[in-house]
Amino acid sequence: MTPQAKTMADALSREYFERALHVSPGGVHSPVRAFKGVGGTPIFFRSAEGATMTSVDGREYIDFCQSFGPLMLGHRDPEVMEAVEEMISTAWSFGACEPYSLKLAEWITSRLPWVEMLRFVSSGTEAVMSALRVARAATGRNRVLKFEGCYHGHSDSLLVKAGSGLAGVAASSSAGVSANVAGETLVAPLDDEEAVRGVFAEYGGEIAAVILEPLPANYGLLIQRREFIEETIRLARDHGALVIFDEVISGFRVALGGMAEVLGIRPDLVTYGKVIGGGFPVACYGGRRDLMELLAPVGPVYQAGTLSANPVGMRAGLATLQKIERVDAYGQLEERTARFCDALDSELLRRGSPVQVTRKASIFWLHSRTKETIRRIDQIPAGHADEFARIFHVALKGGVYLSPSGYEVNFMSLAHSDELLERAQKAILSAIGGPM
């Protein structure tokens, strides 16, 4: 592509973005898409296939964002597409009972023993919000304990951050969230058993549930020690609080049973999203039968959704999960991600680069190099975001699309071929620089 063509391409995305600013807040429908974390004008894409996306000007990019995680098979996998096209030619939405959600629910519950019952919703936010409502109803308590650096969607009670003063006290992290609502959520640091003990010592009898990303991946990839997770769960159960695993990202991504399977831990409730919809807006929450039967129309907890269990998403999700299981996607992705990330990290280390790669299963994160594993947000080096922004744009010029924030993770798919990964590694190394 000639320099003039590149300029025209940039101009086309700028034109779309300027138009979008007039009709949508910030020109986007989810904040990270605006490139605020990396600067510059966001690229508008017109199509995608496999491991690549094509921009409105016709330029192809190797995609490691993969719609922020759902696309384990890559964009528009042929088997999933066949199921989707067949469903669209049959029905789009019923607003009534249908067999497609039944088949997906039976598939999930037959494989995950801790999910005795589930309910489909349309987003991870909705799944978490509903699971917390069930937990409060089941325990008769109001408080929830979450952890700094874990993201659980944008419902009011979870848009909080650690406050000052007593351990656990929270403050709103968004305008429009009342102090009363924020006050019902307690916040503790990750990787700090003593702090969690302090919260339970102060508020143990008031806590309905502990909600935890067992693999925090929304503020970098903060891999937790098993001992921390196990102690947190022990404290919750000793105090009569429920344990909720938020596996919207890690569920069906790190293993068929997500981190619950990896850790061998049975949560009381769990939330899933992303992968279970195969790229369509599908999420669910599930868990113990006695808890799920608190939901209407069986029990007193109300939750509903006009487009919940949309048949197109149900068919896409089932086709995705069936293929993942059939082809042993986890073994393939583990090997592919390890080979790519370890080779990249070794070369960065050889060059004396200040950047390193952290990985878990098919998820990886580029960040400033540290001596110890980063497990808490206060351990992320100062200047990390600025350095990532520079890397992001140079990699972008080299045809690689990373998730557009230094605090977002990246995802491998089965569609990332050896040839594409070799190209991507060269582009990222060029972006990071350092002596050859």
Side-chain angles (χ1 to χ4, degrees):
M1 182 178 287
T2 66
Q4 184 179 9
K6 283 187 178 182
T7 302
M8 291 175 64
D10 292 343
L12 189 54
S13 276
R14 279 200 302 273
E15 177 192 331
Y16 281 128
F17 190 53
E18 287 168 5
R19 286 166 54 186
L21 288 168
H22 290 287
V23 292
S24 302
V28 294
H29 302 283
S30 188
V32 72
R33 300 177 193 175
F35 278 23
K36 189 174 180 179
V38 292
T41 300
I43 296 173
F44 279 61
F45 293 97
R46 71 182 188 199
S47 63
E49 184 171 5
T52 65
M53 297 193 295
T54 302
S55 66
V56 290
D57 60 276
R59 190 174 186 212
E60 185 180 83
Y61 295 83
I62 301 168
D63 176 26
F64 286 111
C65 181
Q66 291 290 308
S67 195
F68 291 96
L71 304 174
M72 281 185 65
L73 305 176
H75 294 277
R76 298 172 61 235
D77 176 78
E79 291 182 35
V80 179
M81 187 159 60
E82 182 180 354
V84 168
E85 290 175 343
E86 183 181 294
M87 191 67 243
I88 287 176
S89 68
T90 304
W92 295 357
S93 183
F94 294 105
C97 297
E98 34 64 40
Y100 311 106
S101 60
L102 172 61
K103 290 178 180 178
L104 180 54
E106 286 179 336
W107 193 95
I108 293 172
T109 56
S110 70
R111 285 157 175 80
L112 308 184
W114 52 91
V115 182
E116 296 174 347
M117 301 186 84
L118 63 81
R119 177 164 283 177
F120 290 113
V121 290
S122 298
S123 72
T125 291
E126 194 180 354
V128 169
M129 177 184 71
S130 303
L132 290 177
R133 187 177 299 161
V134 169
R136 288 186 169 110
T139 61
R141 302 174 179 180
N142 291 329
R143 292 189 184 272
V144 171
L145 173 62
K146 73 175 290 287
F147 292 88
E148 190 81 358
C150 291
Y151 176 72
H152 304 290
H154 59 86
S155 58
D156 282 7
S157 65
L158 293 171
L159 283 178
V160 297
K161 59 187 176 181
S164 59
L166 294 174
V169 172
S172 168
S173 61
S174 169
V177 176
S178 74
N180 288 340
V181 170
E184 290 187 342
T185 303
L186 304 167
V187 181
L190 288 164
D191 194 42
D192 188 341
E193 290 94 324
E194 194 57 41
V196 181
R197 293 186 193 107
V199 172
F200 273 104
E202 183 77 19
Y203 301 103
E206 304 172 42
I207 298 174
V210 172
I211 184 164
L212 174 70
E213 278 186 281
L215 180 65
N218 255 301
Y219 208 121
L221 186 60
L222 309 177
I223 300 171
Q224 297 302 296
R225 292 178 293 110
R226 174 186 287 271
E227 294 80 5
F228 169 73
I229 295 174
E230 289 179 343
E231 177 65 1
T232 297
I233 291 170
R234 184 194 69 77
L235 287 163
R237 291 185 168 149
D238 284 353
H239 288 83
L242 298 181
V243 174
I244 303 175
F245 271 11
D246 181 349
E247 298 228 47
V248 169
I249 292 178
S250 57
F252 301 99
R253 165 60 75 169
V254 302
L256 189 67
M259 287 298 295
E261 176 186 321
V262 171
L263 295 166
I265 292 172
R266 188 172 180 135
D268 299 302
L269 293 165
V270 62
T271 61
Y272 297 117
K274 299 188 184 290
V275 174
I276 68 166
F280 287 82
V282 175
C284 77
Y285 60 107
R288 285 169 26 198
R289 181 176 298 274
D290 63 309
L291 296 175
M292 294 303 292
E293 286 186 337
L294 290 172
L295 286 162
V298 182
V301 178
Y302 190 74
Q303 179 268 313
T306 299
L307 293 176
S308 293
N310 178 272
V312 181
M314 297 294 99
R315 289 291 304 275
L318 183 57
T320 297
L321 294 175
Q322 286 175 329
K323 182 168 182 177
I324 285 170
E325 183 179 54
R326 187 180 74 251
V327 304
D328 182 26
Y330 301 105
Q332 292 187 57
L333 286 171
E334 174 74 28
E335 188 277 332
R336 191 169 305 181
T337 308
R339 181 159 37 89
F340 174 74
C341 292
D342 292 354
L344 181 59
D345 194 58
S346 293
E347 181 60 21
L348 292 172
L349 189 61
R350 187 189 72 80
R351 296 186 184 191
S353 170
V355 177
Q356 74 180 86
V357 187
T358 292
R359 66 174 175 87
K360 176 71 174 181
S362 56
I363 305 171
F364 67 94
W365 180 40
L366 292 168
H367 60 88
S368 302
R369 189 170 293 279
T370 57
K371 292 182 179 179
E372 304 294 334
T373 300
I374 299 175
R375 306 191 194 277
R376 298 165 36 152
I377 62 175
D378 60 0
Q379 294 171 340
I380 299 174
H384 159 72
D386 291 340
E387 176 62 14
F388 176 80
R390 186 192 66 78
I391 293 167
F392 173 83
H393 283 288
V394 180
L396 198 64
K397 290 178 181 177
V400 173
Y401 188 80
L402 299 167
S403 294
S405 166
Y407 301 100
E408 294 285 353
V409 297
N410 298 279
F411 300 90
M412 191 72 72
S413 80
L414 288 182
H416 283 91
S417 66
D418 289 344
E419 185 270 331
L420 287 177
L421 292 176
E422 185 176 347
R423 282 169 47 194
Q425 182 171 323
K426 288 178 180 178
I428 293 171
L429 287 172
S430 175
I432 292 172
M436 298 296 291

